[in-house]
Amino acid sequence: VQLQASGGGLVQPGGSLRLSCVASGIRFRFNVMGWYRQAPGKQRELVAGITGGGDTNYAASVKGRFTISRDNAKNTVYLQMNSLKPDDTAVYYCNSLTSSVPFSQGTQVTVSS
């Protein structure tokens, strides 16, 4: 089982980034997938989730700015992040909310001018 996240980087406030997470070793289309983040000194939090059928849910702090999507044919879940703020700076991870699997490695997102 492996989840591999990528796409982080340094972006100015108001900018955009798209994160990707490729899954292997799980029945991807039957898994609810989520993006999490952990800012320095804070606990890891769930920011967005998506069912196999495409139903989504978002944390209040990112609703309207972030969009989670998935491509079941590619075993990939995405997080499109727009209108980024300095408070979005964190290490981002993906994981399944259905299967007990290790988190992906993190991808650093830094929002700074």
Side-chain angles (χ1 to χ4, degrees), residues 67-88:
T67 302
I68 189 171
S69 62
R70 65 192 292 161
D71 185 335
N72 289 334
K74 296 182 178 179
N75 283 9
T76 302
V77 59
Y78 305 97
L79 187 67
Q80 177 67 42
M81 304 185 294
N82 298 330
S83 302
L84 282 161
K85 305 175 182 179
D87 283 350
D88 295 317

Side-chain angles (χ1 to χ4, degrees), residues 5 66 89 105:
F66 290 11
T89 295
Q105 89 286 3

Side-chain angles (χ1 to χ4, degrees), residues 87-101:
D87 283 350
D88 295 317
T89 295
V91 179
Y92 285 71
Y93 306 84
C94 69
N95 203 353
S96 167
L97 281 75
T98 304
S99 301
S100 180
V101 299

Side-chain angles (χ1 to χ4, degrees), residues 5-108:
S6 62
L10 172 64
V11 63
Q12 292 187 342
S16 298
L17 281 174
R18 188 194 197 202
L19 306 183
S20 299
C21 175
V22 181
S24 60
I26 60 173
R27 300 174 70 191
F28 183 78
R29 67 177 63 247
F30 297 110
N31 276 255
V32 178
M33 298 299 296
W35 282 99
Y36 298 74
R37 68 184 180 188
Q38 186 167 19
K42 295 186 177 181
Q43 289 191 333
R44 185 153 50 194
E45 62 171 343
L46 177 65
V47 296
I50 185 168
T51 68
D55 292 329
T56 59
N57 202 1
Y58 298 93
S61 59
V62 306
K63 199 166 187 178
R65 301 187 297 120
F66 290 11
T67 302
I68 189 171
S69 62
R70 65 192 292 161
D71 185 335
N72 289 334
K74 296 182 178 179
N75 283 9
T76 302
V77 59
Y78 305 97
L79 187 67
Q80 177 67 42
M81 304 185 294
N82 298 330
S83 302
L84 282 161
K85 305 175 182 179
D87 283 350
D88 295 317
T89 295
V91 179
Y92 285 71
Y93 306 84
C94 69
N95 203 353
S96 167
L97 281 75
T98 304
S99 301
S100 180
V101 299
F103 279 85
S104 68
Q105 89 286 3
T107 185
Q108 176 71 47

